[in-house]
Amino acid sequence: PDKTYLRYFEAKLRIMKEKRIIDPPVDIHWEVSDDQYKDFRAFQFIERLDISTLQDHILTYMQYVDVFPYVIKRLVSDHKLFPDHKHLLDFLVNLGDISMMVQHYSEAVKYYNEVLAILDEELDESATPFYRDNKHVCEIYTKMAEAFLAINEPFQGVFHFEKALKYGIRLPQEVQEECLPGVYEGLAQSYLKINLLPKALEKVQEGIELLKANHHRHSLKIANFYMIKVQIYQVENNYNAIFEGLHQALIHLLEILDPRSPLLAITFEKIAENYLKIGLLEPARENLKVAQEILGLSRIQDSKIARLLEELNAASSKENIKNEIVCEDTEGKENNTMLTRS
């Protein structure tokens, strides 16, 4: 398409705004063909999308989402708008990233697929070195896998996370520490969803091993891996392993977080919740008290703490009633024994 259309429409828009016409795009639409109007919208979107300020353009995305299928079809079919492949790839990755932000996950998959399809073509590699290096291919596969996981397709998630891992493990150690924790976490979550618990635990452990050498720089990520371990052990009702995982997560969180951090409160909540599940009421109460104190310092209200306190008080009441019945039964037996002796 010729950019003459864009300039023509922009001039028309200025005139209409001066005349205070309320909905100029609709008015313009009646004066041109559908394809010309779509070309105008496509050009308008492309010019407004600034790669350096991606998060500022969600509104732009929502305003132009109606012409995306048309835009992508035109871009990918003839590449005329983007003679330089890098700019085309930037544009498609941008669309995928914005789609993820606004939770249009199926659309995101389409855009990332287009990127991979273009990279698979017989192109001059010097035109797209930015996307052909292992780091960026790893990132694109990771984003695709996250999109599949978000739409509850864990088998596709596993497939694409494994692809990301294939490229990621070729990177230098420091770059692996940046790129691969999300891949190992995604694999663990995917395997957990399809109930392959040993594989999920294996990926969590690989993530921890990757970061162990520089654990002081990655305490939060390591704590997150231990929390995923807790999720896995909860499926198995393995409470010894659950408490060990929570303890390890807490150790790493305490290395870096402010004592008032809500993340610490959440960890103490989880410890209390699991003590409550196995009927250890006093440790449950102690950990809930710590969580309350942390959130009190942060001035945050937490409905989960209130619910756990209700459950704890109800369990305590049942325990007291049970103890009273046992005491009465014991006293009755003692009285009967004394009467018999008499």
Side-chain angles (χ1 to χ4, degrees):
D2 192 331
K3 280 205 173 188
T4 308
Y5 286 130
L6 180 60
R7 304 298 167 231
Y8 165 73
F9 285 132
E10 286 180 339
K12 290 284 288 183
L13 281 170
R14 281 197 298 275
I15 293 167
M16 288 181 168
K17 283 177 183 175
E18 287 168 9
K19 292 181 178 178
R20 303 192 177 200
I21 294 175
I22 293 173
D23 194 0
V26 174
D27 197 337
I28 285 177
H29 194 181
W30 294 109
E31 299 182 24
V32 295
S33 70
D34 282 345
D35 282 350
Q36 289 172 338
Y37 179 63
K38 287 175 183 175
D39 282 345
F40 159 63
R41 298 269 290 157
F43 277 127
Q44 211 178 38
F45 174 77
I46 291 163
E47 290 205 339
R48 291 185 187 182
L49 190 64
D50 181 348
I51 290 167
S52 64
T53 55
L54 184 60
Q55 294 190 26
D56 298 333
H57 288 273
I58 292 176
L59 181 59
T60 301
Y61 173 97
M62 299 307 290
Q63 287 172 338
Y64 290 89
V65 72
D66 60 304
V67 292
F68 279 4
Y70 172 82
V71 173
I72 298 305
K73 183 180 176 183
R74 292 295 294 268
L75 292 179
V76 175
S77 63
D78 56 26
H79 297 178
K80 284 180 183 176
L81 284 172
F82 293 100
D84 180 347
H85 283 105
K86 181 185 181 306
H87 290 137
L88 173 58
L89 293 170
D90 284 344
F91 179 73
L92 290 169
V93 170
N94 249 343
L95 291 184
D97 291 352
I98 298 173
S99 300
M100 290 289 283
M101 287 179 196
V102 295
Q103 299 179 10
H104 292 179
Y105 300 115
S106 298
E107 292 298 311
V109 168
K110 290 179 190 174
Y111 301 136
Y112 295 138
N113 258 327
E114 293 289 359
V115 172
L116 294 169
I118 292 168
L119 290 177
D120 282 342
E121 292 176 8
E122 295 298 321
L123 301 175
D124 174 11
E125 293 199 10
S126 63
T128 56
F130 179 76
Y131 284 102
R132 287 185 179 275
D133 71 62
N134 290 320
K135 181 175 184 287
H136 289 96
V137 176
C138 172
E139 286 175 349
I140 291 167
Y141 274 117
T142 302
K143 290 172 180 179
M144 282 188 72
E146 288 170 349
F148 278 119
L149 203 52
I151 56 178
N152 202 28
E153 292 194 28
F155 288 98
Q156 286 287 348
V158 168
F159 177 79
H160 288 89
F161 278 126
E162 290 286 5
K163 285 268 194 181
L165 190 58
K166 173 185 166 186
Y167 287 94
I169 58 176
R170 300 172 185 172
L171 298 168
Q173 175 67 23
E174 64 273 14
V175 186
Q176 285 192 38
E177 289 176 15
E178 175 193 340
C179 295
L180 290 188
V183 176
Y184 285 120
E185 179 183 341
L187 276 168
Q189 295 288 8
S190 300
Y191 282 124
L192 178 57
K193 277 183 176 285
I194 57 182
N195 210 33
L196 289 177
L197 304 186
K199 288 292 288 182
L201 281 171
E202 177 188 311
K203 295 306 172 185
V204 168
Q205 197 55 44
E206 285 176 18
I208 292 171
E209 291 299 322
L210 171 70
L211 302 174
K212 191 182 283 185
N214 294 306
H215 68 90
H216 54 285
R217 289 191 319 191
H218 303 296
S219 295
L220 195 56
K221 291 177 183 176
I222 294 173
N224 188 50
F225 277 122
Y226 278 110
M227 294 304 277
I228 297 170
K229 269 193 171 185
V230 169
Q231 282 181 268
I232 297 165
Y233 290 133
Q234 281 176 327
V235 176
E236 299 176 329
N237 290 322
N238 185 344
Y239 284 96
N240 286 335
I242 286 170
F243 288 119
E244 176 60 23
L246 288 168
H247 178 67
Q248 289 296 329
L250 200 54
I251 288 172
H252 287 90
L253 289 174
L254 287 168
E255 287 180 1
I256 54 165
L257 293 181
D258 185 283
R260 296 168 296 178
S261 169
L263 274 177
L264 287 175
I266 289 168
T267 309
F268 281 110
E269 272 180 22
K270 286 187 178 296
I271 294 170
E273 186 175 22
N274 283 284
Y275 274 128
L276 188 54
K277 283 179 181 176
I278 58 175
L280 294 176
L281 305 186
E282 198 51 42
R285 194 181 300 281
E286 288 171 4
N287 282 278
L288 268 183
K289 185 179 178 184
V290 175
Q292 275 184 304
E293 288 172 356
I294 293 169
L295 292 177
L297 290 171
S298 305
R299 298 181 179 178
I300 295 173
Q301 297 297 319
D302 190 332
S303 58
K304 187 173 181 181
I305 284 187
R307 177 179 63 77
L308 288 174
L309 277 172
E310 284 180 13
E311 290 180 19
L312 183 59
N313 291 333
S316 296
S317 298
K318 286 180 183 177
E319 190 69 23
N320 290 338
I321 292 167
K322 183 180 174 183
N323 289 337
E324 286 173 12
I325 291 169
V326 169
C327 286
E328 287 174 5
D329 190 43
T330 304
E331 286 175 8
K333 284 179 181 177
E334 288 175 357
N335 291 335
N336 286 336
T337 303
M338 289 174 68
L339 285 170
T340 303
R341 286 174 182 169
S342 299

